[in-house]
Amino acid sequence: MNSVAAALLVWTLTSPSSSGHGREEAWPTHMACSGGGLEVFYQSCDPLQDFGLSIDQCSKQIQPNLSIRFGIILREDIRKLFLDIALVSRGSSILNYSYPICEEDLPKFSFCGRRKGEQIYYAGPINNLGIDVPQGEYQILLELYNENRATVACANATVISS
Ligand SMILES: *[C@@H]1O[C@H](CO)[C@@H](O)[C@H](O)[C@H]1NC(C)=O
Ligand SMILES: *[C@@H]1O[C@H](CO)[C@@H](O)[C@H](O)[C@H]1NC(C)=O
Ligand SMILES: *[C@@H]1O[C@H](CO)[C@@H](O)[C@H](O)[C@H]1NC(C)=O
């Protein structure tokens, strides 16, 4: 297990503030990767919990076989799981994208179908088209939600390509 993701996961599990009661401060900013002309920072926008994410092989030439590590405690069942991505550059919306990650008849990942309260840790590839990230700074909003439209994880990220 990647040490950063592992440390974050343990911290998420043990942090008393993750109970969320009366929480007003923002979660800390984490670095998902840095190198190869690319820096990716993210912050949980779920008031109830933080999560761990790291991207292997950081590069502004994003490979189609990109691997990530992701750890979270599920607040909801995930029989179905969807990811919404919103990409913004210099204040302008560039792209909105919705992607099914778990579907009942097409579970793409081993963690599909896990229940509320379970901890998931995924380390492996995520299929993507593979792109060269143009130079610039981007804001990305990511939201994972289940079949009842309940938030499973939410993050806002800043991507800097130099
Ligand atoms: C997340 O959004 C908050 C509020 O807009 C902002 O202050 C913060 O810099 C953002 N974090 C990242 C990593 O983009
Ligand atoms: C991904 O593909 C590239 C280019 O084909 C290769 O160099 C790299 O080792 C691959 N990475 C993984 C994790 O398979
Ligand atoms: C993305 O969605 C937001 C919020 O619904 C909307 O304001 C924006 O125009 C959309 N952007 C694109 C490129 O469709």
Side-chain angles (χ1 to χ4, degrees):
M1 188 187 281
N2 169 285
S3 59
V4 176
L8 267 172
L9 191 54
V10 169
W11 180 77
T12 309
L13 286 165
T14 55
S15 170
S17 59
S18 63
S19 64
H21 299 296
R23 187 183 171 83
E24 280 171 27
E25 279 174 62
W27 291 107
T29 298
H30 308 295
M31 180 178 276
C33 83
S34 173
L38 193 74
E39 285 179 277
V40 180
F41 303 92
Y42 73 96
Q43 204 170 4
S44 172
C45 45
D46 178 347
L48 297 180
Q49 71 172 353
D50 201 356
F51 64 91
L53 169 70
S54 72
I55 302 170
D56 296 352
Q57 311 125 346
C58 206
S59 164
K60 60 197 270 185
Q61 281 103 38
I62 295 176
Q63 301 294 322
N65 58 358
L66 186 76
S67 287
I68 65 158
R69 292 152 204 267
F70 177 78
I72 195 167
I73 299 168
L74 292 176
R75 289 211 285 119
E76 303 289 341
D77 294 354
I78 51 168
R79 275 190 314 131
K80 294 187 192 171
L81 187 66
F82 305 92
L83 173 65
D84 275 6
I85 300 176
L87 176 64
V88 172
S89 175
R90 286 195 228 104
S92 308
S93 168
I94 297 179
L95 170 83
N96 294 322
Y97 187 65
S98 195
Y99 181 76
I101 294 178
C102 301
E103 290 171 296
E104 260 167 316
D105 40 1
L106 190 64
K108 294 195 183 91
F109 294 97
S110 55
F111 54 75
C112 292
R114 294 290 188 82
R115 299 305 189 101
K116 179 177 180 167
E118 288 189 76
Q119 173 191 322
I120 58 177
Y121 177 72
Y122 174 77
I126 46 163
N127 290 329
N128 72 97
L129 295 173
I131 53 160
D132 284 3
V133 184
Q135 190 171 349
E137 183 171 327
Y138 306 89
Q139 274 72 48
I140 303 178
L141 276 171
L142 300 156
E143 192 193 358
L144 286 169
Y145 55 93
N146 73 2
E147 61 271 24
N148 303 320
R149 197 64 184 81
T151 300
V152 173
C154 166
N156 69 307
T158 297
V159 174
I160 302 166
S161 175
S162 53

